[in-house]
């Protein structure tokens, strides 16, 4: 499709609108996580055309046939009836919002370069993404329902009129399956062809009739409309939200160096915001990051994996945020042109919303919804269980996942909350368990909201008070971190682990690990280098300093909340580089080697791991060399200088990123992160510049690299099990 004329651009716009309506219909109709029905349009610039693909994926042949039939019926219904006026209007609004965002902020540089290169290669006139967005805004008012339905029929005709002479055959009909020996019932392509030629049957009428005949209240969920401005104004009148004093007694605190402002709402929500001038900001005008501390570490041994499952259920189709169905929530987010994301981490759940300043109210209106209450049906919970079980079955076929899972099990003494979730752990979880645990995690009393962007103080505080201040207070029964999760005690009786996967391909992964320092604390027992007497970090590597404590700079640095975080950043870079070079480039024993450190905030320790991709024949040599090398690690002055330069350059570049500022502010008012304060934002450059080789050895001493205690996990695959005598814990997968 050449974009040389306004007519071409309009046809391209109609294609995109029609495609979005098709995939939205399929997305709403098919929510089974174990199967998928997709409709794709692929640009093939070399042939000056587009291709359309209808893809169906399923776990079994029976399920494939069923999903293919239902998918074809959905497409035929759309072909015959077209998109509704509501769908057309919704897609026009979403496209208008997206085009305005593109005009204001542009797109990723690489995307722009790619468009230019394609245009130059095939001789297309190039108007750029901003040019396309500008023309879309000109054309959208004239786009009608009839125009879009014409394009829908054009895209779907090869599938919905399959076999008719004037339509012709599909260019390609392909079925991909596992080896026939693994299939109980082989796929019959002829049956799929017959389905394509079947007369249209309205599946919605059939499913509605079945639901009426077989009602199941356990699979229903109460829903309400998305709150209007009038609804929220009514809540303001009812709840009378206000700002309350901070823990230091001040109503409002502004850090003079960073410009970060701290406030607290009467419902317990902690607020940190940072204003950035428009010319100094990369990205959307406003980024809001809401952090619920605890994350997966809030799970109890009585209900393991309840939060992990809940995090996946929150991204599912049949759930509600504040009583509003997720489909409605997503429609509002798209219509307002907002970017909404959710990430569950070990120690926190992060919800992020991005948008423009002229849509500030919509940003916070969307953000508040998950904290009004989360609801989910048992049907969705059961579907997520099956999906997680399928994920597990796929993961245990990969040597790197198995090796890492083994070491996580040994470090945690096979805590079901730490290792990959097994179905026997998930099967007894009910929707009530998921809702209780997720709503405890999302309680506003623990919530910290970090706001970065282009706004003024009065504007942002007024908006925060209206939308976040009206989130009702919720009683918190659970601790931020479950008491059973506060300490990690590795199983040192199992330091050599080996697993084997029967497979046609020979692969191997080695993971070596043990405890390391936490973000602000240290490892356990004799490896606790923090001196409560002097308030500084001493691992014993600097004897003169340990005895005297007279160096003011060293006392300042080693008592600083950034000392350990920055030192471990540098250590991770240097150790990763050294191990990768030694194992791959020098000895030729590995394809790749990575060194990672999990720096926990609320734990007494962290976890370091060395992960090596190698061959079954080299695993013993890799284990022996790595164990010795890590226990005798040396640091070089030149490498330290290079690492410090890299960290400072990255820091300077990121200061324009709202996401970076949101991470810097996270934890300033969180319970359980008392070691973090404004020095963690303001003194980063000073700590990096003053870091010495002595500091690295000092902190490295808190990493447990004792060869007699380090845990070694090996997983191989292939037709022959290559096991050595060093292994004391073998198992087959």
């Amino acid at each position: 499709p050449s974009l040389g004329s306004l007519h071409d651009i309009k046809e391209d716009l109609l294609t995109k609108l029609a495609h979005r309506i098709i995939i939205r219909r399929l997305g709403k109709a098919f929510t089974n996580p174990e199967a998928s029905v997709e409709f794709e349009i692929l640009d093939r610039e070399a042939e000056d055309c587009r291709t359309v693909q209808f893809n169906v994926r399923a776990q079994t042949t029976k399920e494939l046939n069923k999903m293919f039939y239902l998918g074809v019926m959905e497409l035929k219904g759309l072909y015959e009836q077209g998109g509704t006026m509501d769908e057309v209007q919704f897609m026009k609004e979403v496209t208008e919002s997206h085009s305005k965002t593109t005009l204001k902020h542009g797109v990723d540089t690489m995307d722009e370069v790619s468009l230019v290169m394609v245009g130059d290669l095939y001789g297309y006139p190039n108007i750029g993404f901003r040019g396309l967005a500008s023309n879309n805004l000109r054309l959208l008012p004239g786009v009608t329902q009839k125009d879009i339905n014409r394009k829908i029929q054009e895209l779907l005709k090869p599938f919905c009129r399959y076999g008719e002479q004037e339509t012709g055959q599909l260019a390609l009909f392909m079925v991909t399956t596992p080896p026939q020996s693994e299939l109980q019932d082989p796929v019959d392509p002829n049956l799929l062809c017959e389905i394509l030629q079947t007369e249209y049957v309205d599946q919605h009428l059939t499913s509605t009739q079945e639901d009426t005949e077989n009602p199941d209240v356990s699979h229903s969920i109460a829903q309400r409309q998305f709150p209007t401005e009038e609804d929220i104004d009514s809540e303001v009148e009812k709840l009378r939200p206000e700002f309350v004093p901070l823990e230091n007694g001040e109503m409002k605190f502004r850090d003079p160096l960073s410009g970060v402002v701290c406030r607290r709402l009467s419902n317990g929500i902690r607020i940190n915001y940072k204003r950035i001038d428009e010319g100094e900001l990369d990205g959307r005008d406003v980024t809001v990051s809401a952090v619920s501390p605890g994350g997966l570490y809030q799970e109890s041994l009585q209900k393991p994996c309840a939060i992990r499952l809940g995090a996946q259920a929150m991204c599912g189709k049949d759930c509600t945020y504040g009583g509003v169905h997720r489909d409605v929530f997503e429609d509002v987010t798209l219509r307002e042109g907002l970017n909404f994301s959710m990430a569950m981490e070990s120690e926190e759940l992060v919800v992020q919303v991005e948008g423009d300043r002229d849509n500030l109210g919509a940003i916070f209106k969307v953000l508040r919804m998950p904290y009004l209450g989360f609801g989910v049906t048992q049907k969705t919970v059961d579907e997520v269980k099956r999906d997680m079980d399928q994920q597990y079955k796929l993961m245990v076929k990969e040597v790197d996942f198995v090796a890492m899972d083994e070491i996580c099990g040994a470090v945690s003494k096979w805590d079901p909350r730490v290792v990959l979730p097994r179905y026997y752990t998930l099967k007894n979880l009910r929707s009530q368990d998921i809702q209780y645990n997720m709503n405890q995690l999302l309680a506003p009393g623990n919530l910290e909201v970090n706001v970065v962007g282009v706004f003024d103080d009065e504007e942002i505080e007024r908006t925060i008070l209206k939308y976040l201040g009206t989130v009702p207070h919720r009683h918190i029964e659970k601790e931020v971190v479950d008491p059973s999760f506060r300490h990690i005690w590795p199983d040192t009786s199992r330091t050599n682990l080996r697993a084997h996967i029967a497979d046609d391909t020979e692969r191997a992964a080695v993971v070596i690990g043990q405890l390391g320092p936490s973000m602000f604390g240290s490892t356990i027992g004799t490896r606790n280098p923090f001196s409560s007497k002097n308030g500084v970090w001493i691992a014993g590597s600097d004897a003169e300093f340990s005895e005297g404590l007279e160096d003011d700079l060293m006392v300042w640095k080693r008592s600083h909340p950034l000392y350990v975080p920055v030192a471990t950043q540098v250590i991770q870079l240097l150790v990763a580089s050294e191990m990768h070079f030694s194992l791959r480039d020098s000895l030729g024993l590995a394809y790749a080697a990575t060194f990672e450190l999990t720096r926990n905030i609320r734990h007494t320790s962290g976890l370091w791991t060395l992960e090596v991709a190698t061959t079954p024949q080299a695993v013993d040599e890799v284990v022996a060399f790595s164990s010795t090398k890590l226990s005798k690690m040396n640091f070089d002055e030149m490498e330290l200088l290079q690492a410090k330069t890299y960290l400072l350059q990255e820091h300077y570049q990121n200061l324009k990123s709202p996401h970076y500022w949101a991470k810097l502010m996270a934890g300033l008012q969180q319970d359980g992160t008392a070691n973090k304060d404004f020095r963690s934002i303001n003194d980063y450059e000073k700590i990096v510049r003053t870091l010495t080789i002595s500091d690295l050895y000092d902190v490295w001493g808190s990493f447990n690299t004792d060869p007699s205690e380090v845990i070694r996990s090996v997983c191989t695959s292939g037709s022959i099990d290559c096991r050595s005598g060093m292994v004391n814990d073998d198992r087959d997968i």
Side-chain angles (χ1 to χ4, degrees):
S2 172
L3 299 179
S5 68
L6 201 59
H7 175 269
D8 296 333
I9 294 173
K10 182 175 181 179
E11 287 299 302
D12 181 70
L13 174 61
L14 290 174
T15 299
K16 291 176 179 176
L17 290 169
H19 180 220
R20 289 169 183 166
I21 288 176
I22 294 169
I23 60 177
R24 185 168 183 261
R25 277 282 188 96
L26 293 176
K28 288 182 177 295
F30 300 99
T31 60
N32 184 356
E34 297 179 15
S36 65
V37 178
E38 300 169 351
F39 189 86
E40 295 181 327
I41 298 180
L42 303 177
D43 284 313
R44 299 190 180 277
E45 293 88 356
E47 291 82 20
D48 197 25
C49 70
R50 281 191 171 116
T51 61
V52 291
Q53 292 182 188
F54 176 52
N55 305 318
V56 181
R57 298 179 179 86
Q59 299 293 328
T60 64
T61 301
K62 181 179 179 181
E63 186 70 14
L64 177 71
N65 294 337
K66 176 184 176 182
M67 297 298 288
F68 188 80
Y69 173 79
L70 294 175
V72 168
M73 290 301 110
E74 194 70 36
L75 293 184
K76 289 194 174 189
L78 189 54
Y79 178 85
E80 294 186 8
Q81 300 168 4
T84 65
M85 193 63 215
D86 286 344
E87 288 176 315
V88 170
Q89 186 60 33
F90 173 74
M91 284 305 168
K92 288 176 66 176
E93 291 175 2
V94 170
T95 303
E96 180 183 6
S97 178
H98 178 76
S99 298
K100 288 179 178 179
T101 301
T102 301
L103 271 179
K104 183 173 184 179
H105 301 286
V107 298
D108 182 78
T109 304
M110 291 307 297
D111 291 339
E112 195 75 57
V113 170
S114 176
L115 184 67
V116 172
M117 292 176 66
V118 168
D120 289 346
L121 183 61
Y122 299 112
Y124 297 157
N126 179 49
I127 60 175
F129 283 102
R130 277 195 167 96
L132 285 174
S134 177
N135 282 309
N136 286 345
L137 291 174
R138 287 176 57 193
L139 294 167
L140 274 171
V143 171
T144 66
Q145 183 181 10
K146 183 178 179 180
D147 292 333
I148 294 179
N149 286 338
R150 170 180 62 82
K151 186 61 68 173
I152 288 175
Q153 286 195 332
E154 183 182 311
L155 293 174
L156 297 183
K157 189 174 183 179
F159 308 98
C160 299
R161 291 291 178 261
Y162 176 74
E164 295 182 6
Q165 187 173 0
E166 66 273 15
T167 304
Q169 294 287 328
L170 289 175
L172 179 65
F173 193 108
M174 183 169 64
V175 179
T176 306
T177 67
Q180 292 296 317
S181 59
E182 297 182 17
L183 284 177
Q184 295 179 349
D185 184 17
V187 176
D188 182 5
N190 293 323
L191 174 61
L192 302 182
C193 291
E194 291 175 9
I195 291 174
L196 278 172
Q197 299 178 70
T198 303
E199 289 294 323
Y200 169 63
V201 177
D202 192 337
Q203 297 302 303
H204 299 286
L205 294 177
T206 306
S207 60
T208 302
Q209 183 179 0
E210 291 176 354
D211 291 342
T212 304
E213 294 173 355
N214 303 292
D216 185 353
V217 294
S218 67
H219 289 182
S220 64
I221 189 167
Q223 300 174 32
R224 66 186 184 95
Q225 295 299 312
F226 202 91
T228 63
E229 289 297 318
E230 291 74 17
D231 294 332
I232 298 175
D233 288 338
S234 175
E235 289 294 307
V236 172
E237 288 295 320
K238 176 183 175 182
L239 297 174
R240 300 286 182 178
E242 60 181 350
F243 289 107
V244 298
L246 302 168
E247 290 183 351
N248 62 5
E250 297 183 42
M251 286 296 296
K252 178 178 181 178
F253 176 78
R254 182 188 300 274
D255 178 56
L257 294 178
S258 64
V260 174
V261 176
C262 296
R263 302 222 64 176
R264 184 167 294 193
L265 290 166
S266 51
N267 57 7
I269 297 178
R270 301 150 171 86
I271 307 293
N272 306 313
Y273 66 82
K274 160 75 177 174
R275 180 183 176 279
I276 298 181
D277 292 333
E278 190 167 1
E280 299 176 0
L281 183 70
D282 288 339
R284 304 292 294 271
D285 288 349
V286 180
T287 296
V288 185
S289 178
V291 182
S292 297
L296 299 179
Y297 287 162
Q298 201 174 101
E299 291 182 338
S300 67
L301 278 171
Q302 290 72 37
K303 298 292 180 182
C305 296
I307 292 178
R308 188 182 302 209
L309 192 153
Q312 291 205 28
M314 283 192 77
C315 299
K317 289 293 181 182
D318 201 8
C319 66
T320 60
Y321 300 160
V324 175
H325 198 278
R326 183 175 169 85
D327 282 348
V328 176
F329 175 84
E330 287 182 341
D331 287 352
V332 171
T333 303
L334 286 170
R335 184 180 284 112
E336 298 290 353
L338 307 178
N339 299 331
F340 178 87
S341 63
M342 187 182 305
M344 176 64 77
E345 301 174 8
S346 297
E347 296 190 273
E348 57 195 21
L349 171 66
V350 181
V351 175
Q352 198 163 81
V353 185
E354 297 174 275
D356 291 331
R357 182 178 182 177
D358 55 8
N359 222 5
L360 195 61
I363 294 173
F364 283 91
K365 190 191 295 187
V366 165
L367 177 73
R368 74 193 289 266
M369 296 308 296
Y371 305 99
L372 295 177
F374 169 67
V376 64
T377 64
Q378 185 60 45
K379 179 181 177 182
T380 298
V381 170
D382 292 337
E383 287 176 348
V384 174
K385 289 178 188 177
R386 291 192 293 269
D387 187 33
M388 293 175 72
D389 186 46
Q390 289 297 327
Q391 292 175 16
Y392 172 75
K393 290 175 180 176
L394 292 174
M395 284 178 163
V396 295
K397 295 179 181 179
E398 301 297 329
V399 291
D400 51 345
F401 279 111
V402 172
M404 183 63 75
D405 192 49
E406 295 282 303
I407 208 165
C408 288
V411 168
S412 66
K413 294 186 177 177
W414 299 95
D415 191 317
R417 301 167 295 179
V418 177
V419 297
L420 292 173
R422 276 66 166 169
Y423 190 75
Y424 57 76
T425 305
L426 304 171
K427 67 178 182 180
N428 292 325
L429 290 172
R430 309 296 297 169
S431 59
Q432 297 92 330
D433 303 325
I434 306 304
Q435 289 176 169
Y436 171 76
N437 281 275
M438 292 305 297
N439 285 320
Q440 282 289 295
L441 177 63
L442 294 166
N446 286 332
L447 184 63
E448 182 185 51
V449 177
N450 303 292
V451 189
V452 186
V454 182
F455 46 72
D456 57 53
D457 285 16
E458 183 180 349
E459 175 187 26
I460 198 66
E461 290 189 5
R462 183 174 61 249
T463 306
I464 288 171
L465 197 61
K466 176 179 178 178
Y467 294 100
L468 297 186
T470 51
V471 176
H473 177 77
R474 190 181 308 137
H475 178 63
I476 301 174
E477 298 175 350
K478 299 188 67 174
E479 296 186 42
V480 170
V481 176
D482 191 82
S484 63
F485 242 147
R486 292 195 180 278
H487 302 284
I488 303 174
W489 304 95
D491 184 358
T492 53
S493 67
R494 305 177 67 188
T495 56
N496 295 299
L497 310 169
R498 181 75 64 103
H500 180 75
I501 302 171
D503 195 10
D504 295 334
T505 306
E506 286 194 353
R507 297 164 293 154
V510 174
V511 180
I512 300 174
Q514 244 292 354
L515 297 187
S518 64
M519 184 69 83
F520 306 113
S522 63
T523 44
I524 59 178
T526 58
R527 299 181 186 279
N528 185 357
F530 189 80
S531 169
S532 57
K533 177 181 178 182
N534 301 301
V536 295
W537 179 283
I538 312 169
S541 62
D542 192 327
E544 183 178 348
F545 171 64
S546 300
E547 294 174 2
L549 287 176
E550 296 176 354
D551 188 326
D552 291 340
L553 175 61
M554 192 171 287
V555 170
W556 171 83
K557 178 172 57 180
R558 295 196 178 183
S559 61
H560 199 287
L562 279 179
Y563 174 60
V564 176
V566 172
T568 50
Q569 269 189 304
V570 174
I571 286 172
Q572 185 170 338
L573 289 172
L574 298 185
V575 175
S577 175
E578 177 63 25
M579 297 306 296
H580 183 78
F581 173 79
S582 298
L583 288 167
R584 193 190 73 164
D585 301 334
S586 181
L587 299 176
L589 294 174
Y591 301 114
T594 57
F595 181 83
E596 300 289 343
L597 173 63
T598 302
R599 298 178 298 175
N600 295 311
I601 298 174
R602 298 173 181 83
H603 268 197
T604 55
S605 58
L607 172 68
W608 65 264
T609 55
L610 172 70
E611 186 174 346
V612 184
T614 183
T615 63
Q617 294 76 21
V619 291
D620 292 337
E621 197 172 348
V622 168
V623 168
F625 173 81
S626 301
S627 301
T628 303
K629 181 74 174 177
L630 289 168
S631 66
K632 300 178 180 179
M633 183 61 63
N634 293 313
F635 300 109
D636 178 80
E637 288 282 1
M638 183 57 68
E639 291 176 344
L640 171 60
L641 179 60
Q642 291 173 343
K644 289 163 68 173
T645 302
Y646 169 78
L647 289 178
L648 288 175
Q649 287 177 342
E650 190 178 52
H651 175 67
Y652 298 146
Q653 291 172 357
N654 286 335
L655 286 177
K656 287 190 174 183
S657 166
H659 302 281
Y660 186 65
W661 273 104
K663 287 183 178 180
L664 289 177
M665 294 190 295
L668 286 174
Q669 295 192 68
Q670 282 182 24
D671 293 337
T673 55
N675 287 331
K676 183 166 185 175
D677 54 39
F678 282 101
R679 292 177 297 167
S680 299
I681 298 177
N682 300 326
D683 295 344
Y684 184 82
E685 182 180 348
K686 295 177 185 177
I687 292 293
V688 172
R689 292 189 182 280
T690 57
L691 207 64
T692 65
I693 287 289
S694 177
D695 297 328
L696 296 188
Y697 283 114
D698 190 60
V699 176
W700 181 247
S702 66
F703 285 71
N704 187 351
T705 58
D706 187 336
S708 65
E709 298 182 11
V710 163
I711 301 172
R712 308 161 182 86
S713 175
V714 174
C715 183
T716 57
S717 73
S719 55
I720 301 175
D721 187 355
C722 309
R723 300 190 182 187
S724 72
M726 61 156 281
V727 179
N728 63 22
D729 187 10
D730 293 354
R731 70 186 184 93
D732 290 311
I733 296 178

